[in-house]
Amino acid sequence: MTERFIAFEGVRKSYDGKSYVVRGLDLDVARGEFLTLLGPSGSGKTTTLMMLAGFETPTHGSITLGGGRIERVPPHRRNIGVVFQNYALFPHMTVGENLAFPLKMRRMSKADVTQCVRHALDMVRMSSFEGRRPNQLSGGQQQRIALARALVFEPQLVLMDEPLGALDKQLREHMQLEIKHLHNRLGINVVYVTHDQSEALTMSDRVGVFNDGTLQQIASPHDLYEAPANPFVATFIGENNAIAGEVVELSNGTCRIKASDGSLISAIPGGGLKIGARTTLVLRPERISLAEDLAGANRFTAHVNELIYHGDHMRLRVTVCGCDDVRIKIPAGAGRTPQPGAHIDIGWAREDCRALAQS
Amino acid sequence: MAITLSDEVVRNAIDTAALTRRLRGLRRRSRIKALLLVAPLMLFLLSVFVLPIGLLLTRSVDNSDVSLALPNTATALSSWSSEHAPDEPLFAALAADLKASSRERVAEAAKRLNNYESGIRSSLLKTARTIRKAEAPYQPAFVEADPRWATPERWAALKQAMPRLTDFYLLAALDLQRDEMGRITGVAPENAVHLDVLIRTFVVSISVTLSCVLLGYPLAALMARSTGWVANTLLILVLLPFWTSLLVRTSAWVVLLQSRGIVNSALIWLGLLDPTQPLELIYNRAGVLIAMTHILLPFMVLPIYSVMKTIPPVYMRAASSLGAPPSSVFWRVYLPMSMPGVSAGGLLVFILALGYYITPALVGGPRDQMVSYFIAYYANQVTNWGMAAALSAILLVAVLVLYALYNRLIGIDRLRIG
């Protein structure tokens, strides 16, 4: 990791003095990184963001930004851009006045303000909207203006609190790319909060998964998907078949799991496994294969319960290895479709299957 | 094919027309239903509110008393001008009127005429008694009863009083009058009271509105921020004054503010005040302002509170994240966003204050009475309906002008009560 830009050390936060919303957070962010905090609602991700923005004060621990401690610095002196969930554009000001607001607060000269505002509007391709009021803009346009307002005073760090939550799917995907490109172009730090895992995977350099006030895992999208640290992360990121079993064999880099129906499965062991321990297997639906020429280490006969049509692909719900809810994702038009009630051969490679210690 | 197609077209055309008719019928029915629902209220308002006020306001320009009592004189005077000396036909016409009209009618006319020339009332009543027994020629009898009848000024005053409509009361309400030549001039300084009263009414109302804003705004902000039982308690405390009668509340201020009252006693007990010189807090302007502010405060707090309730706190966070220190957050974001409530409360309090009557009467001194007091005085004590109506009309016009000004400056659609 390059230069450390943001650091949370032992940060805890309680609102009511009885329970912690964030418990013991240690987190390092490199300069220029796009970090996404992902988690279900109430997991502490937004509280973490609000502590970074300065709207909440940590109960314990320290937060440093660019080398200086900031827990006691009021929000208006932190120089951090924030994009809020519902944009929070000031309704009594025009788009131009909204963008000029942070510059005026920094006592910039009138000519510079005009120039910066124009530049920021160009950046989000909204130049012709300077004189409009926020309520005359569509959701996507308001989103762009909010983004421009958070960037216009050139902060080194921009925080985004579920900024795309109110947009429809198509616009959301478009804006994801646009934000990603802006980040690449400007080289600033972004800390992004969302509960949408696909958004997190597409945009981020690294993703931190929160649950129940603790950081479950922080890794690149690829590692998060391929090597989840625990069953929660595995289930929360992408789709997952959780097959329960018991460790019967454990050697360097491989293990054998006995499923509840007695079948033996080869898998890659996650950390903290012991022989005889209960474990949860992580197996992605798209990694299970129906092909006749199964070369993988794990081959079983499965009973098809249900066939679900999804347009570009199909899903099978099958019973295998003592689990009656194993999903298999098969591309549409891939030869013969198995029918419910049939018995089929399925298999998967050892590398696609991880055994995780049950928490 | 061509024939069936055109048939189709014709059928469609007929269908559309029928459909439009049907839709219009349905719409009309629902409109009539809505009208019927509000009809009782409309009739009630029309009969007990709009109509009486309209009738009262006509009193401010109504001047039919004199011309009804003296119809022949009115005709005779229409061809007479004040350059000529009064001649026998005028005297004969007036004599005929005085003989024909009832005593009550003449008395009414005499009272009204007194507005144009002081002393004319007793003179006319005395002359009437003489003339009823007199025979033509009448001129000597008139001049014998009162030598003033020989002067053109007396008849000019009569002529001025003849038109059915008059601006006399409206001018008088603004301390103006018409001289013998019909020009508008100011009244003698010792009689000029109304303009003072109007200005005083506006000054008191503006002061009360300002102090309500200054006291009410922070309270509304506190209420909007607090939650749970604190918010409920504050709301009840604000509404509490509404649950006691105006008279009781005003009397409570007398108990508090009088020279041996609770406030003065407390200050003396604390040693902050010389016991021989208690503060004069009541029966003066201070008392009026304190009591009116207290009574009108809820009308300011509630609109501001309801607007503040709708301002999401995220705007304040956004402002401070953009680098605004707390003072700028307030002045540039919170205040502008709560302004619709402030202007609604301001307008409400100001208009209510303009019409205040009981409170200044109970806790104010003689120099603190507002225009409503004089309206009541003219209506109840001296039964001068014209004057009462004229002052009401001026007050009403002033309010309407202010309302229009407000609409022009702020826009009535931006006003939010709740």
Side-chain angles (χ1 to χ4, degrees), chain A residues 50 55-56 75-76 80 82 84 88-93 101-102 104-106 149 153, chain B residues 314-326 328-329 332-334 336-337 414:
Chain A
M50 291 300 135
F55 303 134
E56 302 292 350
H76 64 274
I80 297 175
V82 184
F84 293 89
L89 296 174
F90 304 129
H92 58 289
M93 299 182 194
F101 185 82
K104 282 186 190 152
M105 287 300 131
R106 285 167 176 78
R149 191 179 64 174
F153 56 99
Chain B
V314 71
Y315 287 111
M316 276 60 86
R317 289 185 159 192
S320 64
S321 84
L322 293 169
S328 300
V329 173
R332 316 218 20 187
V333 178
Y334 197 64
M337 291 184 82
R414 288 203 50 207

Side-chain angles (χ1 to χ4, degrees), chain A residues 29-48:
Chain A
V29 185
R31 192 174 282 275
E33 196 177 11
F34 195 124
L35 174 76
T36 298
L37 308 180
L38 179 67
S41 49
S43 61
K45 57 184 193 312
T46 301
T47 306
T48 305

Side-chain angles (χ1 to χ4, degrees), chain B residues 204-216:
Chain B
V204 168
S205 300
I206 289 169
S207 317
V208 168
T209 309
L210 285 180
S211 48
C212 277
V213 171
L214 291 179
L215 291 174

Side-chain angles (χ1 to χ4, degrees), chain A residues 125-167:
Chain A
R125 299 199 302 280
M126 294 282 289
S127 310
S128 54
F129 294 86
E130 195 173 339
R132 299 262 193 108
R133 297 245 171 205
N135 59 11
Q136 296 169 314
L137 303 178
S138 72
Q141 290 168 336
Q142 290 187 35
Q143 175 57 60
R144 286 220 184 93
I145 298 303
L147 202 59
R149 191 179 64 174
L151 293 168
V152 70
F153 56 99
E154 295 175 352
Q156 288 187 308
L157 172 61
V158 175
L159 309 180
M160 304 194 190
D161 182 15
E162 309 212 13
L164 307 179
L167 304 182

Side-chain angles (χ1 to χ4, degrees), chain A residues 18 31 62 79 87 94 117 189 191 217 235 300 302 340 343:
Chain A
K18 290 178 199 144
R31 192 174 282 275
S62 73
N79 209 34
Y87 322 128
T94 63
V117 166
N189 265 76
V191 176
Q217 185 177 7
T235 325
F300 301 98
H343 282 85

Side-chain angles (χ1 to χ4, degrees), chain A residues 164-236:
Chain A
L164 307 179
L167 304 182
D168 62 57
K169 188 168 175 289
Q170 229 165 355
L171 198 56
R172 196 160 61 221
E173 283 167 7
H174 177 77
M175 286 304 295
Q176 285 170 11
L177 277 181
E178 221 165 288
I179 293 175
K180 179 84 189 140
H181 292 160
L182 270 174
H183 168 250
N184 289 342
R185 203 147 43 107
L186 302 174
I188 49 168
N189 265 76
V190 176
V191 176
Y192 192 100
V193 160
T194 182
H195 62 264
D196 180 340
Q197 43 118 345
S198 81
E199 200 165 284
L201 296 182
T202 20
M203 302 176 75
S204 331
D205 296 325
R206 283 198 303 160
V207 179
V209 181
F210 277 76
N211 189 36
D212 206 14
T214 47
L215 185 59
Q216 304 286 325
Q217 185 177 7
I218 177 161
S220 70
H222 178 270
D223 290 351
L224 214 56
Y225 191 77
E226 299 296 338
N230 58 40
F232 174 80
V233 176
T235 325
F236 199 74

Side-chain angles (χ1 to χ4, degrees), chain B residues 13-32:
Chain B
I14 292 166
D15 280 349
T16 336
L19 192 64
T20 319
R21 247 196 327 272
R22 207 176 145 66
L23 268 176
R24 204 180 300 147
L26 282 172
R27 237 175 267 148
R28 191 183 309 128
R29 214 172 305 159
S30 70
R31 220 171 323 163
I32 288 171

Side-chain angles (χ1 to χ4, degrees), chain A residues 273-293:
Chain A
L273 275 190
K274 285 193 296 257
I275 288 187
R278 303 287 306 160
T279 179
T280 305
L281 285 175
V282 175
L283 179 59
R284 301 293 183 190
E286 73 277 9
R287 300 291 162 86
I288 304 174
S289 140
L290 296 189
E292 320 271 293
D293 54 334

